[in-house]
Each structure stands twice: as structure tokens, then as C-alpha cells.
Amino acid sequence: MTNHLYHRQSAIALAVSSVLAGGSGAAQAQDVPAATALGEVIVTATRREESIQDIPFNISATSGEALEKAHIIDAVEALRTMAGVSVQDRGYRNSGVTSSIVIRGINVDSGTQGDVPLAAPPTVATYIDNTALYGNFILKDVERVEVLRGPQGTLYGSGSLAGNVRYIMKKPDLSGFSGEAGVAFGQTDGSDGYNLNPDILLNVPLSDTFAFRMNAGMIDNDGIVDYPNVYVLDANGDPVVNGDVVTATPVYRSVKDADTVDIKYGRVSLLFAPSDTFSAQLSYQRQEDDIGGRRQVTRGANLVNGGNYREYEFGGIQLEPTSREVELAALEMEMDLGFATLTSSTSYYDHTGTGISDNSGVYARNGWFAFYGSSPRPIAQAERFYDDSAITQELRLVSNGENHVDWTVGLYYTDEDYDLGQNSYLVGYVPYMNAINLYGLAPFATNQDFLFRRNQKYEEKAVFGEATINFSDDLHLTLGGRYFDNSVDVDAIVDVPIYSSPSNPPGTASEKISDDDILVKANLAWDVSDSSMLYATFSQGYRHAGANAVPTSGKYAENPDFFTFDADSIDNYEIGYKGTTDRLSYAVSVYYAEWDKPQLNTATSNWGFFAVVNGQSATTQGFELELSGRLTDSLSYSLGYTYADTELTADVYQPAGNFYGGPLYTDRVGADGDRLPGTAENVFNVSLRHVKTFANGIEWNTVLTGYYQSDVINAIGDHTCLTVFNLIGNCRDSANPASAFYAPTSVWNRSYAEIGSFAILNMTNTISKDAWAASWYVKNILNEEGTTGVFPFLVGGSRTDPSQNYFGNNSRDYIALPRTIGVALSYRF
């Protein structure tokens, strides 16, 4: 019946990846010598335990043990070992703020931002067990990672537009006491310090029916990025005045290795299994991050010290630390009713964070410092913060299989509160503005030039189900659907406290959006043989509507059309073929997806608030190929290749105008035929593992992994100016029909950049005997810069004319982790 292919054999399947350190297969139940047959691969992507080769859509998985053998604890590196996934790597500082996972080229995030949680959900949903949460935990004590490609709207709901990534955690073990203690020590190129990662794991059976499991650890990494031109601050936190407050220029200092990493993480779980038909697991997971800065570099001339910025140097004039805390509590209960299994998943999470951003370059490039008197010590500081919490409940009833019709039905509810805000300060400006009596408004009591708050409440109710009709042992039809009803309630306020007055009140906005619809799925699978399957799938994905919460009233109001954006959806068509031979596992799929009303990230026309607008349509098409197997009894491999051709299929327009009550119009920001941002056309990954066992019981494992992605673009639009540039290098193209530089066909975007291709190779060697294991590893062997995002000079560079006086440089390239060499030691007991 539904276990039609591989329940009858000990298949190689895609499990080979579990001995390849994260290749594109699935997890083994245990680590076995390479010469023996591999166990069957079981995953839960369809909400029931199934062989990965029985699932008639494109899914990959890798085992936690494989990640350990490759010394992978970071989600970016883990996903780069799996076919069909690419990640915009922004380092630990921004990794928990915005999801940067791309599947099948379905992406809307530019590579310019990373500090701001945007209003639109990511296109790829991430799950910790059964809880939808982008918390980006350190990968420790993980059972496996599953990647589901293509829309998963029927079983997983909103946010599963391009696919899902599921992190399945290990459960407490009733069979016996066990534990592991380990420590890793290394150094990264460019750092004067070291990296340290100790951790411990304990599994304690408390009785025949109770078991307790915990893991805890920390990451203490010295930074690699130097800030050569940081302002020296006084006891009040203001730039030092070395002379007259009106004319004195800044005093600079140099800060080495600023992007330090201090992470503490842990998870505890308690399993109660009084019988074979009932179990309950209560778990709590927490992580605290304190990060000193971004992993970023500035290119070009250093106008403060002369010459050019050197390797691993950033030109900002203030440090940019962040901190965050994320916690997840979950109760999972299962009851076998005989004909079906009833599962209840209840969870609560809270994810909070704060960060400092240096916006001085943004102010200078926009000419904003002139509004505040053009201090000779310009500094613009943004303090951003967010608090995202939710309660989720899901009930599922899943038939126990091997019926003429196998089915899954469920109910889903979530209640989310998502608050974020920003305070921006002109640090040190109060004494300066009072000294020059700016606009005759002295005395000034505050240096806060911007205040933003957005409070959003999201609620969703859904009922879902799938049924597989087994016409025969070889032919199966799956039909699925999900009905949902959701609402988004948003309130926002924007103020400029420096100039606040009764005649210049804060801008406010409020909106409530409701939506309901049905998503469907249809899949036909044919078992061509006992070891191969051909399938065809139609599936739909959806993301809910929302509000940008930009002000629509007050002096700083934006065009009211900016306030809300519509839901977007995808219709996905896919054909795939997968199977095994004696020494090879393979999977290939071809897909075509139509994207309706894509939610695209941009910025408002007047004040530059990050915002979401709807395009009209886009498409993505391509194919995915996975191969894994053995070259010899001791040498295994895994290969993955994906091709994604993405493009807008209609022009994209956004609201514009309304500047101080001016005319309203629309601005073309994307052109029909343009590529989608942040998407590599070609992605290739490879894993090799060699295992050598000696007569004295010593085992030597060598794991080599490689990742390549082709070039990407940074944002929709282009860098072609149709009129002329002004003195500070900005295009004068205007969508305003009244402008002398009216250019209605322009799609010029100063954030646009072309980012080159790169390849990253990693290697790990492990020698183990009995309970002991010692490893040495090299990350990024060739020390590739691996640029994954760019904040261009035109957005945040220098501007030295007297109206701005800014000699720093906030333009940046986000780079991959430089070459890192380390050793690790562990003991199991």
C-alpha cells in the first residue's frame, strides 16, 4: 500500500548522505560502517513516518550525526550541503532577524538589509519540530534536518510559499543512561583571537516510563572585522569635542575584531511513555546571543586615514552590537487509537532582540545632516528592537496506513503578537545645535530625530487534510486541501521628536485586514518498479496580507497606498523521478511555478522606510538533481545540482509622491523580464566521505564538502540612469510628471548591485576509538570571500562636502566565514 517501494528492502535510498556529512539524502538510525548496508530512511514530512523514497515530492534530509561528523553547528552551513537550497549568509548578527533561505529561486529579500524584521513573512517556513519559528538555533542534538521543496500550503499553511525547512530534535531515550561532553577550539583568518565551543549532553531514564534529556553549550568567538575609524566618545557617550563645539573635527580610534560572538544555548525535554499507545514530551529550548557586529567589509578609499580599506576592515564610525533571546516551549502528545494516531502539538515562543546600527552613511548620502546644522562630527545612530511571540495549537489525526485510502486531517490555530520599533539619535548634537541656535529653536532637549513603533497582531484558524487513494500497489493519487481564515491588526506611530510640536504631530496609522481561502494539492505517483517512482504534483503556496505601518497622517506621512499589501500565492507544477540501484540513489525533478502578486521588499519613496509592495506576477522554473552512493566500500559521495530561472513577468510599480502634500503618482521599480533578487541561477553541492577502520578498533573518517553558487543581483531595478546624476552621485530620474527629469520607464535603483559567484570547500578528519573522538577541521579551505549581500556606496558611503562632513563609509559587503582551522575533542559515556 503506501509503503509500496522501499519497505520491502534495505535500500541505499538517500540515506547515503548521513555518511556524507549533510549531503542531500536522509538520516540513518545509527552510524554504521561504510561497508554495511544502510538502513531505511524515515522522515515525517507528510505528518506520518514514511520512507523518504515513498514520498512523492522532492524532499531531502540529513542526519544530526552527519552534521556532527562534518563539525556543522550553523544552519547556513548545514543547508549548503543540501541540494536545492541557497542562503544569504549575513553571519550571526543578523541570522536571527530575517530568514535568508531561498528554495527554487522564490525570494524577495534584497542583499542590502538585515537589521529590520520586515512585514512580509519569509518565502520558506522553518520549523522546530512542529512549531513554525524562525529563531535560527544552534544545531545541537538534532535528529535530522528535512528540506521540503515546493509549496507546502495544505499541511503547513501560510509562509510555506517555496517550501519548508524542518529541524527535528532528538527525543529522550528510555533505554539507558548516556551522555557526551565535547569542546572545539579554533581560529578564523583575520582574527587576533580564538573560537571556543564547549557543550554537554545528558540522557537520563528516570524510570521505565520517564526519561530526561538535556544539552547545553556556548560559543565564544573573537571577531575578524576591524573598525579603523570609530569616533572617540566622552563619558556621556557623545563624540569627543577636541576644541570648539562648533568647529572641532572628530577624534578617531581603531577597534580590532569587533564582530565578537557570545552565544549560550540549551534544551531540556522530558518524555513520558506509560504504554505503547500513548506518549507525551515536554520540551524547552533557549538561546541568548550577544554579537559585537556584522561580518562585513568596506571596499574603496579610506578618506580618514588615506589609502584603501584593507582586508576585513569596515568604515563605520560607531560599533554595531546586537543581542537577542529566543525561547520555545512545546508539549507534544500522541495516542494510538488503532485505526489512527491522534497528535496534539502545543507551543509557545518568544523572540526578542535589540541592535545598534550606524546610519551615518545613509544620512550623508541623502543629505539629511544639513537639516540639523551640518555638524563637523556627524553621527546617526539607530536603535532597533523587536518582540515576536506566539501560541500555536495543532491537532492531527493520521490514519495508520496500509489502507485503500490513507488520510490525514487536522485543526490549526495560532495567535501571534509582533512588535518592533526604532529610535534614531543624532549623537552629540544637543550642545552643537544649541551653540548654533539651529532655526532659532534653542534650547534643544533631545537629540532623537526619529521614533517608529509598529504593533501587529496576527491570528489564523485552519482546517486541513490529505487523502491518498491507493488504486493498486503501484498507482496512488493524493488530494489535499486547507481552508484558512486569518486577520492582521496593525497600529503604527512615527515621530521626529527634535521637531515635535502641536503643529507638527506624530504620524499615525491603523489597519485591520482579514482573509480566507482554500489551498489545494494533487499528486499522482506511479511505482515504475520496486525501486523507482515517477510522480506529478500540483501544489499551492500562500503568504498572508499585511501592513507596512508607515505613517499616513502628520507631516511625515507617506502615500496612503503604501500602508497595506495583499496576500501572494504560487501555483506549482512538478514532475519527478526517484529511485535506487545497488550502489546509487537518485532523484530528479522539473518544476514550473506561477507567482501571483509577489510581495517584494523595497523602500518608501519619501522617507526610505523599509516596505513591501505587490508586483503583478513572476515565474520560476528549473530542475533539481541529486545523486548519492558508494564509489568503494569505504568511499561514499553525494552530489546535488539545481538550476533556477526566475523573472518578473510584469512591471512592478510602487506608490510615490505625497511629499509634504504633493501630487500622488506611481514609480516603476521593476521591469518585466528582470531577475528576482538574491537568487543564484546555478547551485552545486558535493560531499565525500572516506571511512577507514583499523585492526585495533580505531576508525578514521574524512569528510569533504563543497558548495558553489553563481552570480546574483542585489535588488529589483537596475543601475541605468536615464537622465543625469547630481553632485552626490544619485540619479535624477523621477516618476513625477511635473519633474524636469521625468523618466516614467526608469527602474534605476541605487541599492542594485551584481554579486559574483563563489565556491566554499570544507574538510573534517575524525579519529575515534571506543568512547573518544578527536577531530581537526578546516572551513573555507580556499578562503573565498563569498559575498552574499551588498550595501552599496551610493546608499551608505562617504560624503565630505561641508553640508555633511562625513568621512566614514557605511557601504559594506556581507562575506562568508573566512578560513577557519580548529580541533575538537569529545567523550561519550
Side-chain angles (χ1 to χ4, degrees), residues 486-509:
N486 62 46
S487 63
V488 181
D489 194 350
V490 180
D491 295 290
I493 183 172
V494 172
D495 193 14
V496 179
I498 281 180
Y499 295 140
S500 286
S501 67
S503 62
N504 186 26
T508 60

Side-chain angles (χ1 to χ4, degrees), residues 35 81 102 157 182 210 231 244 308 419 448 452 472 674 760 799 816:
T81 67
V102 180
F210 277 100
Y231 283 3
D244 182 73
N308 291 321
D419 303 331
Q448 185 173 358
F452 171 67
S472 67
D674 284 355
I760 293 178
R799 185 175 173 188

Side-chain angles (χ1 to χ4, degrees), residues 452-781:
F452 171 67
R453 302 288 186 272
R454 186 185 80 194
N455 302 317
Q456 175 175 298
K457 183 178 179 63
Y458 176 72
E459 187 176 34
E460 179 183 347
K461 308 177 188 71
V463 56
F464 61 90
E466 286 191 356
T468 299
I469 305 170
N470 301 299
F471 294 110
S472 67
D473 288 342
D474 301 327
L475 188 62
H476 319 272
L477 174 65
T478 299
L479 300 174
R482 185 184 190 96
Y483 170 77
F484 60 85
D485 186 339
N486 62 46
S487 63
V488 181
D489 194 350
V490 180
D491 295 290
I493 183 172
V494 172
D495 193 14
V496 179
I498 281 180
Y499 295 140
S500 286
S501 67
S503 62
N504 186 26
T508 60
S510 181
E511 187 71 37
K512 184 170 184 178
I513 306 168
S514 298
D515 191 16
D516 66 288
D517 206 344
I518 296 176
L519 302 174
V520 299
K521 171 185 174 180
N523 171 273
L524 184 65
W526 173 40
D527 300 340
V528 179
S529 68
D530 286 343
S531 58
S532 62
M533 173 196 289
L534 179 66
Y535 66 86
T537 301
F538 170 78
S539 58
Q540 292 183 315
Y542 163 87
R543 285 188 302 172
H544 64 75
N548 291 310
V550 299
T552 56
S553 66
K555 186 174 183 179
Y556 302 100
E558 293 281 356
N559 188 321
D561 289 342
F562 253 123
F563 189 65
T564 61
F565 55 91
D566 295 331
D568 62 352
S569 60
I570 276 185
D571 289 344
N572 175 73
Y573 305 86
E574 177 181 344
I575 297 176
Y577 187 64
K578 61 200 306 186
T580 64
T581 66
D582 289 341
R583 303 181 71 88
L584 171 68
S585 176
Y586 56 89
V588 61
S589 61
V590 179
Y591 66 87
Y592 173 78
E594 296 178 336
W595 193 355
D596 184 47
K597 295 184 178 180
Q599 296 172 6
L600 303 170
N601 292 329
T602 182
T604 60
S605 304
N606 295 345
W607 307 107
F609 302 121
F610 285 110
V612 178
V613 297
N614 290 102
Q616 292 187 42
S617 60
T619 61
T620 175
Q621 57 190 342
F623 65 88
E624 299 148 338
L625 173 67
E626 298 177 89
L627 300 173
S628 57
R630 300 192 189 280
L631 298 175
T632 68
D633 287 344
S634 60
L635 182 62
S636 307
Y637 71 91
S638 176
L639 300 173
Y641 171 72
T642 60
Y643 170 78
D645 178 19
T646 66
E647 67 174 12
L648 296 170
T649 53
D651 291 344
V652 178
Y653 293 88
Q654 72 178 36
N658 199 44
F659 191 80
Y660 290 135
L664 299 179
Y665 48 90
T666 58
D667 190 4
R668 192 174 81 137
V669 296
D672 186 353
D674 284 355
R675 289 173 62 185
L676 294 177
T679 298
E681 192 172 75
N682 300 285
V683 176
F684 176 78
N685 61 282
V686 60
S687 298
L688 295 171
R689 182 188 178 196
H690 183 266
V691 182
K692 176 70 173 179
T693 303
F694 299 93
N696 57 5
I698 293 177
E699 185 176 274
W700 179 13
N701 281 266
T702 299
V703 177
L704 178 69
T705 63
Y707 172 86
Y708 166 82
Q709 73 172 45
S710 59
D711 64 279
V712 301
I713 59 172
N714 204 41
I716 58 173
D718 61 28
H719 237 194
T720 303
C721 187
L722 301 181
T723 58
V724 295
F725 282 80
N726 62 20
L727 293 177
I728 63 169
N730 289 338
C731 184
R732 290 188 175 183
D733 289 355
S734 174
N736 184 358
S739 170
F741 303 100
Y742 180 52
T745 61
S746 173
V747 290
W748 187 84
N749 182 349
R750 63 178 176 168
S751 295
Y752 177 90
E754 295 181 359
I755 303 173
S757 61
F758 65 89
I760 293 178
L761 294 175
N762 308 311
M763 183 176 68
T764 301
N765 283 277
T766 302
I767 292 179
S768 58
K769 179 175 171 57
D770 301 326
W772 290 93
S775 303
W776 62 99
Y777 57 87
V778 184
K779 309 285 188 181
N780 196 355
I781 296 172

